[in-house]
Amino acid sequence: MALDDAIGKARQERDRQDEQARLKEKWEAEAQQRVRKLGAEAVARLAPYAGRESLHLYRPVRGPQNRTTYQRAKSWWCWRIRDLEGTSVINPRVMLLVLDPDRTTGHFAAVTLARPRTDKGQYLTTMAADPVGPVHYSKQHPMAFFGPEWVNYLEQDVADAIVRYEREG
């Protein structure tokens, strides 16, 4: 009998874990769908300001005398959404909306810059960008990590960025 009780409890716990996993998958899918839609809407609204800012990815290349130099690998048009919290002064991180090749949609990326100051609107990096997710909001809003609420904070950041671009002209 004791074993049957233990098995029953184990099954209940496993059912609870499975349900939590299903909910998490559903939340993540909803959040990603909202982020894709937000990216497309933001690109449409920010289109008049396209071409002013760009993200440049540089790759290390072995040069003469075995010295490492950097060569531009790719460039994209982008818009700065906000600076990310808790970044270093030497290699700051920014959140950008990067224009996709189809020029009708964009994706949000957290980018570590190779140099803190460059020409205005030029973002240089030597590392691949991270997709924006709940981790980028969890320090400011701890509960953002446990569901799709972080997208609400992203929407507010995008709205603030759109107003900033409109005012700057």
Side-chain angles (χ1 to χ4, degrees):
M1 268 326 223
L3 181 59
D4 289 337
D5 291 340
I7 291 171
K9 287 180 182 179
R11 286 180 178 147
Q12 287 176 343
E13 178 62 22
R14 184 56 189 244
D15 289 343
R16 187 186 64 75
Q17 290 173 355
D18 290 346
E19 181 61 26
Q20 284 180 334
R22 277 192 294 278
L23 276 174
K24 185 178 179 188
E25 286 177 17
K26 179 183 170 193
W27 289 340
E28 288 173 355
E30 287 174 0
Q32 290 307 315
Q33 184 178 11
R34 285 178 59 199
V35 168
R36 281 191 297 275
K37 183 179 176 186
L38 179 62
E41 289 176 8
V43 165
R45 295 207 181 219
L46 291 168
Y49 314 104
R52 295 182 187 176
E53 297 175 292
S54 54
L55 171 64
H56 305 284
L57 175 65
Y58 283 80
R59 298 263 187 232
V61 177
R62 290 283 178 194
Q65 300 174 348
N66 213 18
R67 293 183 185 207
T68 301
T69 60
Y70 291 89
Q71 181 178 30
R72 187 184 296 184
K74 291 184 178 182
S75 293
W76 304 269
W77 282 354
C78 65
W79 298 272
R80 186 176 65 80
I81 302 302
R82 72 177 179 100
D83 296 332
L84 293 173
E85 301 290 325
T87 59
S88 78
V89 175
I90 297 169
N91 295 107
R93 286 177 57 87
V94 294
M95 183 185 300
L96 301 174
L97 173 60
V98 180
L99 190 63
D100 289 338
D102 67 5
R103 295 192 182 248
T104 60
T105 59
H107 65 276
F108 296 96
V111 179
T112 301
L113 301 179
R115 287 191 257 163
R117 297 197 179 235
T118 59
D119 294 335
K120 185 176 169 122
Q122 301 296 309
Y123 303 101
L124 309 178
T125 187
T126 57
M127 295 181 273
D130 298 324
V132 171
V135 119
H136 299 101
Y137 289 96
S138 60
K139 286 184 182 176
Q140 299 164 302
H141 310 284
M143 294 308 291
F145 199 75
F146 297 105
E149 289 81 19
W150 68 272
V151 181
N152 298 336
Y153 301 121
L154 177 60
E155 286 174 346
Q156 185 58 53
D157 285 343
V158 170
D160 292 343
I162 289 170
V163 170
R164 186 179 69 245
Y165 278 99
E166 288 173 348
R167 298 259 168 113
E168 290 175 359

